[in-house]
């Protein structure tokens, strides 16, 4: 009772104020606030049009990566189960709302007791599934009151998580004690979840469901297919930089200049794929490239007659191309890790590409595994990045070995969907 009172008296109002203050200067947060304005009306309308099935599974995830982890499970049970999705980040909203296997998809409103109660009464879920770690206390407490089982899938709790700190641990125990099953991605994560639960709770190691999703997409890509104009004129090695932010580019572009200086005849073409290719971001990137005197073109500018042999950088200003681009790569640099958390390192690994990323990888267990096995390199500076690229470009056998390590890691971890479904199907 103490933790419920404290959370609702202090944490929830603080989140409300902080969210709206941050929205004044952050367009993405502002978009999230706007998207939540008519959540209950939108949800009610979508549920009226939903399939009339006996069981309903409610999946919640924070952003794109967690949605990818939920997708194989959703698609496995869709035929016999009504699917409702809630999400936190605006970055995943278009994907979730257009997803063919969802009966309803809306933003999760602020985690108040009233909102949680309204959601539960509207959705009437047979089970609530949290993907990875985005677990909301009032929603858990209200679901428990209604005897609705809760499952965490692809559960992750890294060693430095604040949830395990001395002050926070009792609070999170008051939440996790109501979660029926924790499906963890590794033994280490399961052990850390155990710190938040009693010995009576079901904590199982099922693996990361995203491996299947990524592997399925990777094997469907034709790596050598010419899918953009001028591709055949790329005569030098190809470095793909995927899902980058400004902070990543502050390391990547100086590293690229070092490559040009040290190997003027054989430095790679750089295909730069920003995480969100908005007009503002593309303008920012092009400004930086012009200051660095790097020859560049936007992807949308390419024509069948273009000769890319003298072009240094292609800036991808379209979405949905990254998987195909990774298929062309000699080396893949994955962004996010110089800003806050690394993005999807599985995708290039599944295509047998050697991978490089920055220092912040606590959010991605697979990134650590890739480094440990030699399928990836972790760098902290532009000099380290340039050095890692140079070593791999100079040794084709080493690149092949690193790529094979990555693909083998992905293949070894297939099967998580089936193992997780064993527990999920008990409730639907």
């Amino acid at each position: 009772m103490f933790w419920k009172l404290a959370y609702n008296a202090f944490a929830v109002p603080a989140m409300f104020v902080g969210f709206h203050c941050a929205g004044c200067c952050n367009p993405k947060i502002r978009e999230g606030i706007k998207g939540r304005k008519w959540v209950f009306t939108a949800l009610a309308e979508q549920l009226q049009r939903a399939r009339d099935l006996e069981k309903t599974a409610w999946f919640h995830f924070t952003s794109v990566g967690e949605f990818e982890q939920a997708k194989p499970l959703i698609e496995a049970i869709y035929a016999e189960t009504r699917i409702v999705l809630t999400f936190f980040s605006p970055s995943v909203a278009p994907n979730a709302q257009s997803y063919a296997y969802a009966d309803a998809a809306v933003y999760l409103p602020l985690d108040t007791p009233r909102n949680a109660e309204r959601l539960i009464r509207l959705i009437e879920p047979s089970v609530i599934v949290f993907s990875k770690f985005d677990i909301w206390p009032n929603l858990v407490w209200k679901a428990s009151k209604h005897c609705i089982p809760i499952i965490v899938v692809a559960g992750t709790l890294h060693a430095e998580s604040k949830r395990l700190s001395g002050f926070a641990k009792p609070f999170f125990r008051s939440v996790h004690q109501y979660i029926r099953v924790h499906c963890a991605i590794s033994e280490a994560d399961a052990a850390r979840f155990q710190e938040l639960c009693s010995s009576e709770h079901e904590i199982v190691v099922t693996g990361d469901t995203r491996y299947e999703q990524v592997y399925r997409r990777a094997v469907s890509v034709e790596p050598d297919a010419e899918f953009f104009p001028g591709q055949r004129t790329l005569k030098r090695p190809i470095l793909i930089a995927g899902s980058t932010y400004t902070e990543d580019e502050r390391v990547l572009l100086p590293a690229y200049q070092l490559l040009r200086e040290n190997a003027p005849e054989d430095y790679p073409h750089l295909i730069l794929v920003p995480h969100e290719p908005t007009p503002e971001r593309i303008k920012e990137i092009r400004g930086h490239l012009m200051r660095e005197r790097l020859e560049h073109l936007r992807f949308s500018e390419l024509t069948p007659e273009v000769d890319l042999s003298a072009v240094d950088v292609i800036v991808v200003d379209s979405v949905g191309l990254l998987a195909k681009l990774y298929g062309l790569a000699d080396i893949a640099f994955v962004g996010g890790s110089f800003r806050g958390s690394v993005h999807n390192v599985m995708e290039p690994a599944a295509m047998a590409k050697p991978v490089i990323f920055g220092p912040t990888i606590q959010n991605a267990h697979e990134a650590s595994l890739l480094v440990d096995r030699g399928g990836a390199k972790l760098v902290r500076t532009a000099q380290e990045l340039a050095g890692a690229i140079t070593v791999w470009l100079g040794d084709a056998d080493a690149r092949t070995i690193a790529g094979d390590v990555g693909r083998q890691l992905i293949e070894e971890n297939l099967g998580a969907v089936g193992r997780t479904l064993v527990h999920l199907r008990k409730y639907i």
Side-chain angles (χ1 to χ4, degrees):
M1 180 63 73
F2 168 76
W3 290 114
K4 290 182 185 179
L5 290 172
Y7 177 72
N8 287 306
F10 299 103
V12 172
M15 282 189 287
F16 178 84
V17 173
F19 202 45
H20 282 77
C21 288
C24 294
C25 53
N26 188 314
K28 196 169 183 179
I29 294 176
R30 202 156 52 240
E31 183 182 342
I33 293 171
K34 182 180 178 182
R36 287 170 169 84
K37 194 170 183 180
W38 306 107
V39 158
F40 293 103
T41 301
L43 179 60
E45 291 174 353
Q46 291 178 48
L47 290 174
Q48 283 182 347
R49 301 190 299 267
R51 294 170 300 150
D52 185 16
L53 296 171
E54 182 182 353
K55 299 289 186 178
T56 298
W58 172 4
F59 285 80
H60 174 73
F61 42 87
T62 182
S63 193
V64 176
E66 295 75 26
F67 185 27
E68 290 298 313
Q69 288 168 313
K71 277 182 178 179
L73 301 172
I74 293 168
E75 291 166 22
I77 65 173
Y78 175 79
E80 70 272 13
T81 312
R82 188 163 63 165
I83 303 295
V84 176
L85 310 179
T86 58
F87 48 87
F88 184 83
S89 172
S91 64
V92 75
N95 294 339
Q97 291 168 339
S98 62
Y99 185 47
Y101 296 93
D103 292 278
V106 295
Y107 281 94
L108 186 76
L110 184 67
D111 186 44
T112 65
R114 183 171 181 269
N115 284 345
E117 182 73 25
R118 287 183 70 185
L119 286 169
I120 287 170
R121 291 188 181 279
L122 266 175
I123 297 170
E124 297 182 333
S126 308
V127 62
I128 298 176
V129 184
F130 288 108
S131 181
K132 198 169 183 178
F133 52 62
D134 198 38
I135 299 164
W136 290 94
N138 276 317
L139 184 51
V140 170
W141 292 327
K142 287 292 183 181
S144 174
K145 182 180 176 182
H146 287 272
C147 299
I148 299 167
I150 302 169
I151 299 178
V152 175
V153 299
T156 306
L157 191 62
H158 62 79
E160 298 176 14
S161 173
K162 294 179 181 178
R163 301 183 190 207
L164 300 174
S165 63
F167 177 78
K169 188 181 287 187
F171 168 73
F172 284 104
R173 279 178 178 158
S174 75
V175 177
H176 283 261
Q177 67 177 314
Y178 295 107
I179 295 174
R180 192 76 57 90
V181 185
H182 292 77
C183 295
I185 67 168
S186 71
E187 294 285 354
D189 288 281
R192 288 189 283 269
F193 277 122
Q194 191 67 67
E195 295 183 44
L196 302 178
C197 304
S198 73
S199 58
E200 299 172 359
H201 285 86
E202 188 173 8
I203 300 175
V204 292
V205 179
T206 53
D208 191 338
T209 53
R210 195 162 40 135
Y211 282 101
E212 263 101 334
Q213 187 78 354
V214 169
Y215 185 76
R216 184 171 59 188
R217 188 162 53 230
V219 297
S220 69
V221 171
E222 293 288 343
D224 297 322
E226 183 167 349
F227 70 94
F228 69 82
Q231 179 182 322
R232 292 179 181 174
T233 65
L234 295 172
K235 302 299 183 183
R236 302 196 304 274
I238 298 174
L239 170 65
I240 305 292
S243 295
T244 63
Y245 293 97
T246 302
E247 293 87 343
D248 300 303
E249 291 147 16
R250 287 175 186 153
V251 177
L252 174 66
L253 295 179
Y256 188 72
Q257 288 286 33
L258 288 173
L259 294 172
R260 291 180 73 212
E261 294 167 8
N262 295 333
E265 301 300 322
D266 200 33
Y267 67 96
H269 296 285
L270 171 61
I271 300 181
L272 180 57
V273 188
H275 179 60
E276 293 183 340
T278 61
E280 293 77 16
R281 279 286 287 128
I282 299 302
K283 182 179 179 181
E284 174 193 358
I285 293 167
R286 294 191 69 197
H288 196 155
L289 295 174
M290 285 187 280
R291 288 191 295 273
E292 296 292 327
R293 297 183 180 179
L294 291 170
E295 292 293 328
H296 67 279
L297 287 171
R298 287 176 293 136
F299 188 88
S300 61
E301 294 176 317
L302 303 185
T303 64
E305 298 77 25
V306 71
D307 182 353
L308 299 175
S309 58
V311 172
D312 298 313
V313 184
I314 299 171
V315 182
V316 177
D317 53 355
S318 307
V319 297
L321 298 175
L322 187 53
K324 286 186 177 181
L325 289 169
Y326 278 141
L328 302 176
D330 292 285
I331 299 171
F333 171 83
V334 178
S337 55
F338 284 99
R339 182 177 189 262
S341 57
V342 72
H343 282 286
N344 187 356
V345 302
M346 289 186 189
E347 199 159 54
M351 296 182 182
K353 305 299 179 180
V355 185
I356 305 176
F357 39 73
T360 311
I361 61 171
Q362 293 92 333
N363 63 301
H365 178 62
E366 63 277 7
S368 297
L369 293 177
L370 282 169
V371 172
D372 291 343
R373 296 193 185 187
K377 294 183 179 181
L378 186 151
V379 299
R380 294 178 174 82
T381 65
Q383 290 76 15
E384 288 184 10
L385 176 55
I389 294 170
T390 299
V391 168
W392 265 338
L393 287 182
D395 191 338
D397 289 340
R399 289 202 309 273
T400 299
I401 291 170
D404 289 344
V405 165
R407 172 165 281 184
Q408 184 179 357
L409 175 66
I410 302 298
E411 291 174 347
E412 285 176 4
N413 283 277
L414 299 178
V417 171
R419 291 189 291 270
T420 305
L421 282 171
V422 168
H423 300 278
L424 178 57
R425 287 192 186 279
K426 293 177 185 177
Y427 306 106
I428 55 171

